[in-house]
Amino acid sequence: MAAPVIRSVTVDPAVLLPGKSTTVVVDAYHPDSRHLTFPGQVGDPTGALWDTAVQIDLSVPLTVRLTSTAPGVTITPSATDPTRFTVTVLSGRGTIPLTATAQDAAGETATATTTVTVPLLVGMSAPQGAATAQIVAEYPNLRYMRDYGVDTNRNGLPDLPPLNAGKFVEAPSAVMHVSWKDNVEELSTWLTGVHRPVYLTWYHEPMGNVTPATYRATATRVSQIVATHPNRHWVLGHGPIVTRYWLVEGKGNPTDWGYPGMTHYGVDTYSQDAGSYWPASRMFGTAFGKVRAAYPGIRLLVPEYGLVRTTTDTTGTGRAQTITDHVTWLRQQTDVDAIAYWNNWAEYQLAYPSPEATAWRNLSAG
């Protein structure tokens, strides 16, 4: 008896944002399957005859399965079509392998593989309220955004942001990178209400505000809370955020802020150089190199990114090209998950419309 054959495994769409779903269809058959047709006639009492045919289905039934070893993947078979599956991915950037198997009653199998890709998330941050609503309208494909929480008890330290107001409502399609600086124990209750993908950072840019020892001890609680929480699957990752300037010009040591269980390291990158645009190697490469050397295998984020126009770039076409070059370089770095443009301050803002705004719209849709 022959083995099953898988003609194809199709994925639509094949590029998937965190928390979204795609449809996978497996086209499989068995070479021993037959549909036999026999000629024949039927008649009535008057003797009239009609040609008719008898069909016999000798197809070999197959069981089709779809599996993946990647974390954060949920595969749901269709209730009506045994060859169709819904795949949902809750993970950051990367290639997700999927394996289709077709098996007959004798145990003979065929396998085929395909992939789903989670891309670099390109987004933008602005003050909440009208400013965020405006950029969401102007950049409808934004996929990543910063949310810094709200100081609800007036102690000068932001708490975790509300999930039913602010940016979580104003930017429904963006993966939020949430920061807060108050009691780390807030996280347990807050996570209970989370129902969309998030990144987390306790006390972003702690340099000069919190001692490294205090930071590491407190941030370790983030790892502990996430690891045991029923909603941990919504957390795409967590870790510290520092600035490029602190790492490079300030000669900072990234291990000051690393803590057990962290999955990501964020680097806020800016250039106020009005004389020239920096290449990606200077904008990101040196800082990333220090983090990579300290924590091999760590995932990287660019939670804040800003670039001023140079004095000679009167139209903005030079900044638009540099922005495109920078994001293109980041896409070539397989360990970078996301970047958000810093549209909060006038010196960095991308006026809309402008060549830079067009560039960012195109990049965020990619």
Side-chain angles (χ1 to χ4, degrees), residues 35-39 53-56:
H35 284 83
L36 302 181
T37 302
F38 297 95
V54 176
Q55 292 187 339
I56 300 177

Side-chain angles (χ1 to χ4, degrees), residues 11 48 52 68 82 107 113 136 156 196 224 265 284 302 304 312 327 333 352 354 364:
V11 184
T52 188
S68 179
T113 60
V136 168
R196 62 191 274 187
Q224 295 167 347
Y265 210 108
F284 310 104
V302 185
E304 300 175 18
T312 58
V327 175
Q333 313 303 304
Y352 187 91
S354 67
S364 62

Side-chain angles (χ1 to χ4, degrees), residues 16-18 90-96 117-123 143-145 175 177 198-200 235-239 263-267 288 292 297-303 327 329-340 366:
L16 197 60
L17 298 171
L90 264 176
S91 67
R93 183 184 177 191
T95 300
I96 310 298
T117 301
V118 178
L120 175 77
L121 302 180
V122 178
R143 302 308 183 197
Y144 175 65
M145 186 176 288
V175 173
H177 188 155
V198 295
Y199 288 101
L200 299 172
V235 180
L236 301 181
H238 58 89
T263 60
H264 288 68
Y265 210 108
V267 182
F288 283 1
R292 286 164 172 159
I298 197 76
R299 304 296 301 177
L300 298 168
L301 297 162
V302 185
V327 175
W329 186 89
L330 290 174
R331 285 183 169 140
Q332 295 167 353
Q333 313 303 304
T334 58
D335 55 354
V336 182
D337 281 9
I339 178 173

Side-chain angles (χ1 to χ4, degrees), residues 149-173:
V150 179
D151 182 9
T152 58
N153 54 9
R154 301 183 181 180
N155 65 352
L157 299 174
D159 299 278
L160 284 157
L163 295 167
N164 58 355
K167 291 187 177 183
F168 273 85
V169 174
E170 296 154 1
S173 66

